[in-house]
Amino acid sequence: KSYNNLGVEQRCMGNLQQAKEYHERALDKRLRKLGPEHIKVADSYNNLGVVQCDMGNLQQAKEYHERALDIRLRKLGPEHIMVADSYNNLGIVQCDMGNVQQAKEYHERALDIRLKKLGTGHIKVADSYNNLGAVQCDMGNLQQAKEYHERAQDTRLKILGTEHIDVAITYNNLGVVQRGIGNLQQAKERYERALYIALKTLGPEHFIAATMSSNLGVLQSEIGNQQQAKKFYKPALDIGLKKLGP
């Protein structure tokens, strides 16, 4: 297998440090063989940006995604679907950095290209709706966030089925919105669905499962179920320490 494919596999398994090392090897090889302007070099920058974002290294992630976008714009043009992917990834990073207006603009650019090129029922359009929902939630526009996440979930359920990890992520995001609105029981039900799917599809050692476990712990604490909260906090902390270090 190529270093790139091994990096993708390791990220899917939640092994972020290993994924980073494989993608760095892939980038080094591609730079030497293909030169700095090749589209596959942009792909490596993109993949490293995704992993760095997962690891919480947001400035590094931003720089990688900006390099990928620069090459893709010059090689593929402003309406290419891979350009939309770069806008999408930059939107995720900007959102995580707290730059919600910039994130919103990137995600709207990505959605516009994806709707034009792929149509309303495509999974990448659902991804854009999901990400715009997250941004709107961070901006405090909870009703708009809820509508975006519901659009995303409708498409994801149709295409991916009921037990895909992206469906779990949307349940989690709907839980965040319902919690923000004050519908704690609705939030609890969505967090529970999200965690159930994550544990079933990824296993208890995955960092996404850790995030969902933590969210449920926070909610249980808010409801007043402190013992239940502890049950969810401890696995989340254990997984986080194991994957990212103390």
Side-chain angles (χ1 to χ4, degrees):
K1 293 180 181 178
S2 69
Y3 287 136
N4 183 74
N5 290 346
L6 286 166
V8 171
E9 284 183 6
Q10 289 296 325
R11 177 181 177 255
C12 288
M13 293 167 66
N15 301 326
L16 300 180
Q17 184 60 39
Q18 187 67 65
K20 175 176 169 286
E21 291 169 9
Y22 278 129
H23 284 308
E24 286 172 340
R25 291 185 201 177
L27 175 61
D28 181 64
K29 186 175 179 180
R30 287 172 170 179
L31 283 168
R32 284 187 285 106
K33 298 285 187 181
L34 303 172
E37 295 296 305
H38 198 279
I39 198 65
K40 285 192 177 291
V41 169
D43 294 345
S44 284
Y45 284 138
N46 179 81
N47 292 339
L48 278 164
V50 169
V51 172
Q52 292 285 4
C53 185
D54 286 344
M55 296 177 80
N57 302 327
L58 300 180
Q59 185 59 40
Q60 185 67 68
K62 177 175 172 285
E63 291 169 10
Y64 278 130
H65 284 310
E66 286 172 343
R67 290 185 203 177
L69 176 61
D70 182 60
I71 296 168
R72 286 172 171 179
L73 280 168
R74 281 185 279 110
K75 295 293 183 180
L76 303 173
E79 295 293 304
H80 197 278
I81 197 63
M82 291 178 75
V83 169
D85 293 345
S86 284
Y87 285 140
N88 178 79
N89 292 338
L90 278 163
I92 291 169
V93 172
Q94 292 287 357
C95 186
D96 287 350
M97 295 176 84
N99 303 327
V100 290
Q101 185 59 42
Q102 184 67 66
K104 178 173 173 283
E105 291 170 11
Y106 276 130
H107 284 310
E108 285 173 342
R109 289 187 207 175
L111 177 61
D112 182 60
I113 296 169
R114 287 171 169 179
L115 283 169
K116 287 177 186 173
K117 297 292 184 179
L118 303 173
T120 57
H122 197 278
I123 198 64
K124 287 198 172 186
V125 170
D127 294 345
S128 284
Y129 284 138
N130 179 77
N131 293 334
L132 278 164
V135 170
Q136 292 288 354
C137 184
D138 285 349
M139 295 176 84
N141 303 326
L142 298 180
Q143 187 56 42
Q144 183 68 67
K146 179 171 173 283
E147 291 170 11
Y148 275 131
H149 285 312
E150 286 172 343
R151 288 188 207 176
Q153 192 70 312
D154 182 59
T155 301
R156 285 177 168 179
L157 283 167
K158 286 176 184 173
I159 295 173
L160 302 174
T162 58
E163 296 194 347
H164 193 278
I165 190 57
D166 286 348
V167 169
I169 288 168
T170 312
Y171 279 134
N172 181 78
N173 291 342
L174 281 164
V176 171
V177 172
Q178 292 289 358
R179 179 179 163 225
I181 292 171
N183 300 331
L184 298 187
Q185 186 58 39
Q186 287 286 319
K188 178 173 172 285
E189 291 171 6
R190 280 155 181 77
Y191 281 151
E192 287 172 341
R193 286 192 210 175
L195 182 58
Y196 171 80
I197 297 167
L199 290 172
K200 188 170 183 179
T201 58
L202 300 176
E205 297 294 307
H206 199 282
F207 73 97
I208 290 177
T211 300
M212 292 177 178
S213 185
S214 177
N215 287 347
L216 196 48
V218 170
L219 185 66
Q220 291 285 4
S221 181
E222 289 179 355
I223 293 170
N225 301 332
Q226 299 303 327
Q227 286 301 117
Q228 285 291 316
K230 287 178 185 176
K231 283 172 58 178
F232 292 112
Y233 280 139
K234 187 176 187 308
L237 179 60
D238 290 345
I239 297 165
L241 289 172
K242 185 173 182 181
K243 295 297 180 185
L244 300 178

